[in-house]
Amino acid sequence: MKEMNLLCYREKYLDPTETPAVPYTLCEAESCDFPLPKREPVTHKYSYGRALVIAGARGYSGAPALAANACERGGAGLTHLMVPESIYPIAAARCDGAVVTPLSATESGQISPAALPQILEQLSKARACVVGPGLGAGESTKALVRGILREAAGPLILDADALTSLAGETELLSACRAPLFLTPHEGEFKRLGGDLSKGRLSGALRFTAEHPNAILILKGYGTLVCRGGDVSVNPTGGPAMAKGGAGDVLCGVLCALLAQGFDQWFAARCAVYLHGLAGDLAAAELGEYSLAPSDLIRFLPRAFKTLAI
């Protein structure tokens, strides 16, 4: 079934004029060394890293909660969610165990650039950080993302509105000293300057050649994970996951794996695989129509157990 998935991918996304010798592999547990190691018995929460999620705006309280809860399910030792004070009570109530901090907000309910020093203080303590779910568009988000890109040193995941804020300013990605993980869908990828005219594979390879400090996760059917000239095609996941909020869950899982100190290429491929597998397991039990993003989080433990040693 996985090979058929890959064949369908070739037919759907490879440009017929492209050379067939594109260097990519099928991203699966059997071929990608995905087994998750057993945890040592004498450990504590800080053994598994601090994960920081910077997200949310008025009207977008679901995205930060989904990312933070997925981060916890993904195994991070301590998850810290920072949201604008405009949605703090709602976001805090929806989080299971994350530390939730309110930040000063603009009149429109977005995180204010004045909160940047407070964010950077927590960023310096975090082993991994995700920025973007539900942040909202506008100058305040642009200023916030610019400031974080200038100062970040550890793995930094940019998603959703954080990616959109970089439209026309992708030189900021190359200037960033932190390892970057970009998680766009096709629309966001185009806004970043990505070219899909010759297919997803060509576009992803061209983009990562221009941004060698970034791992690109181009979401969609057969999600691509691309670093330089290396590409993995993910076989898990399906149409049941075509819901707003599914990408927020992926960001949380990826942030959790990075916070735990896993190899960055491993973490990116493993997060995508587990995210899709949770969707497959949920769809098998709940059906394709009624699956919600929160169901992905609920089925993450089953997905993780399939990879546990």
Side-chain angles (χ1 to χ4, degrees), residues 53 55-70 81 83 87 90-91 94-95 133-134 244-246 248-249 293-294 297:
V53 179
R58 183 180 298 141
Y60 297 95
S61 58
L66 286 168
N69 287 334
L81 172 62
V83 297
I87 63 165
I90 304 170
R94 296 186 63 174
C95 286
D248 305 318
V249 176
S294 57
I297 298 172

Side-chain angles (χ1 to χ4, degrees), residues 191-239:
R191 288 194 286 273
L192 275 176
D195 180 7
L196 296 174
S197 63
K198 292 187 178 296
R200 285 163 56 92
L201 285 169
S202 289
L205 286 166
R206 189 176 300 113
F207 186 89
T208 52
E210 295 170 357
H211 303 283
N213 63 327
I215 291 178
L216 173 69
I217 298 174
L218 183 55
K219 296 181 292 193
Y221 175 73
T223 290
L224 294 176
V225 186
C226 185
R227 177 186 62 181
D230 296 322
V231 181
S232 286
V233 182
N234 185 58
T236 61

Side-chain angles (χ1 to χ4, degrees), residues 66-150:
L66 286 168
N69 287 334
C71 195
E72 283 197 280
R73 283 293 191 186
L78 180 64
T79 300
H80 190 171
L81 172 62
M82 306 187 87
V83 297
E85 58 190 3
S86 56
I87 63 165
Y88 169 72
I90 304 170
R94 296 186 63 174
C95 286
D96 295 330
V99 175
V100 186
T101 298
L103 300 172
S104 59
T106 64
E107 290 186 5
S108 61
Q110 298 175 338
I111 296 176
S112 168
L116 187 59
Q118 189 177 355
I119 290 172
L120 295 180
E121 180 184 358
Q122 294 304 318
L123 186 64
S124 67
K125 301 175 184 178
R127 192 182 283 178
C129 175
V130 55
V131 183
L135 274 184
E139 290 303 317
S140 59
T141 295
K142 288 182 180 180
L144 193 70
V145 173
R146 289 191 202 104
I148 291 171
L149 282 171
R150 282 195 299 268

Side-chain angles (χ1 to χ4, degrees), residues 7-309:
L7 289 173
C8 291
Y9 182 87
R10 288 172 179 151
E11 292 174 2
K12 187 174 177 70
Y13 288 117
L14 271 179
D15 186 277
T17 62
E18 248 183 338
T19 171
V22 178
Y24 67 96
T25 60
L26 188 61
C27 180
E28 58 181 340
E30 293 85 350
S31 64
C32 293
D33 192 27
F34 278 171
L36 295 170
K38 188 175 179 62
R39 288 185 166 186
E40 296 295 329
V42 184
T43 52
H44 48 77
K45 61 186 176 184
Y46 295 115
S47 303
Y48 304 107
R50 291 174 179 260
L52 179 62
V53 179
I54 303 165
R58 183 180 298 141
Y60 297 95
S61 58
L66 286 168
N69 287 334
C71 195
E72 283 197 280
R73 283 293 191 186
L78 180 64
T79 300
H80 190 171
L81 172 62
M82 306 187 87
V83 297
E85 58 190 3
S86 56
I87 63 165
Y88 169 72
I90 304 170
R94 296 186 63 174
C95 286
D96 295 330
V99 175
V100 186
T101 298
L103 300 172
S104 59
T106 64
E107 290 186 5
S108 61
Q110 298 175 338
I111 296 176
S112 168
L116 187 59
Q118 189 177 355
I119 290 172
L120 295 180
E121 180 184 358
Q122 294 304 318
L123 186 64
S124 67
K125 301 175 184 178
R127 192 182 283 178
C129 175
V130 55
V131 183
L135 274 184
E139 290 303 317
S140 59
T141 295
K142 288 182 180 180
L144 193 70
V145 173
R146 289 191 202 104
I148 291 171
L149 282 171
R150 282 195 299 268
E151 299 297 330
L156 182 63
I157 304 158
L158 300 180
D159 181 57
D161 294 322
L163 294 172
T164 298
S165 74
L166 293 171
E169 297 186 73
T170 52
E171 68 277 1
L172 296 174
L173 297 177
S174 300
C176 181
R177 60 194 175 106
L180 291 174
F181 298 78
L182 314 178
T183 59
H185 55 57
E186 290 188 5
E188 291 161 345
F189 183 64
K190 289 178 182 177
R191 288 194 286 273
L192 275 176
D195 180 7
L196 296 174
S197 63
K198 292 187 178 296
R200 285 163 56 92
L201 285 169
S202 289
L205 286 166
R206 189 176 300 113
F207 186 89
T208 52
E210 295 170 357
H211 303 283
N213 63 327
I215 291 178
L216 173 69
I217 298 174
L218 183 55
K219 296 181 292 193
Y221 175 73
T223 290
L224 294 176
V225 186
C226 185
R227 177 186 62 181
D230 296 322
V231 181
S232 286
V233 182
N234 185 58
T236 61
M241 299 172 67
K243 299 276 181 74
D248 305 318
V249 176
L250 172 60
C251 285
V253 176
L254 176 56
C255 192
L257 293 176
L258 292 169
Q260 290 168 81
F262 286 109
D263 171 80
Q264 293 170 13
W265 182 236
F266 171 93
R269 292 176 298 137
C270 190
V272 171
Y273 179 87
L274 286 166
H275 177 251
L277 181 56
D280 291 340
L281 294 169
E285 184 169 318
L286 304 174
E288 291 187 339
Y289 281 88
S290 297
L291 188 148
S294 57
D295 293 320
L296 299 177
I297 298 172
R298 188 159 60 89
F299 279 83
L300 278 175
R302 297 191 199 180
F304 270 80
K305 283 185 70 175
T306 67
L307 301 186
I309 294 176

